[in-house]
Amino acid sequence: MSRARVVCLPHAGGTAGFYLSWAANAPAGLEVLAVQYPGREDRITEPCTADLGELSDAIAAALAPLDDRPLVLFGHSLGAIVAYEVARTLEAAYGVRPAHLVVSGRRAPSDPPGGDVHRWPDAEMVDELVRLGGTDSTLLRQPEARSVYLPAIRADFRLAETYRRRPGPEPSCPLTAVIGTGDTEVNAEQARQWAAHTTAAFSLRLLPGGHFYLLKEEDAVLAILEGTAW
C-alpha cells in the first residue's frame, strides 16, 4: 500500500490521461491519481461544468473518504484554482486537511487573470492552445475533432477566466507554487502572491520551460511532490 496519495487536477481542456505517465513513474510509496472533469474521455457524454464552485465541491466530496493516508493536491493552470478550492472545501466541510497543496502555472486567487479566450472563434482558440503548448495541434486543426474537443476546452477557459475566489478561510496546509521560468501566463512575482492563500508555510519552485514545463520536467515535479507528501 502506498504511504501517500497525490491527486492531480488537470488544466483547461486537460484530462486524467495527461497524468498516466506520472502514475507509472511515481516514486515508491506515492500513489498518483487524477480527476476526470465532465465532458471528456470516459465522461464525454456528461455536460461540462459551468460553475467552478460546483466542480470543486463535487471533487471534495469524492476525496473526503480518502483520508487514510497523507493527501497531496496538485493542480496545473485551471487545475491550480480547482485544487485550491478543493483544499478549502475539504477542510471547511469535511475536516480533512491535505498534507500539501501544490499549484502550478497559475496566478494566485487574489490576482485573477481575466481574459476572453472562451469567447474567441474556434480557429483563434486553437491558435492560442498551440501557443500555450501541451495540446495536439494537428488533431485540433481537424474540423471533426474540434466539434468533439473544443466544447470542453471552451467551458474550461470560461471557468478559468471568470473565476473569483469564494469567501471563507484559507487552507491551513503548506502550499508550494511551481512555474516554468519562461511561462507567459505567470511570473515569479505573481506566483509569490500565493503565499497569502495559506496559513501555513509557502515555497516557490522554478523549473525550466514555458507554461507546460511539466511535460519535460516530469521527474522534477514528481520529486517535488514526493518531498511534500511526508
Side-chain angles (χ1 to χ4, degrees), residues 66-99:
L66 303 181
D67 61 350
D68 58 326
R69 68 200 74 167
L71 173 66
V72 176
L73 297 175
F74 173 88
H76 179 66
S77 200
L78 167 67
I81 54 173
V82 177
Y84 166 73
E85 292 291 354
V86 168
R88 298 175 71 203
T89 301
L90 278 173
E91 194 163 359
Y94 301 98
V96 175
R97 178 181 182 268

Side-chain angles (χ1 to χ4, degrees), residues 136-160:
D136 186 342
S137 58
T138 302
L139 180 67
L140 285 181
R141 293 197 187 283
Q142 301 173 15
E144 307 81 22
R146 288 184 187 180
S147 65
V148 174
Y149 296 109
L150 279 190
I153 295 172
R154 190 178 297 280
D156 286 355
F157 266 89
R158 180 182 179 278
L159 291 179

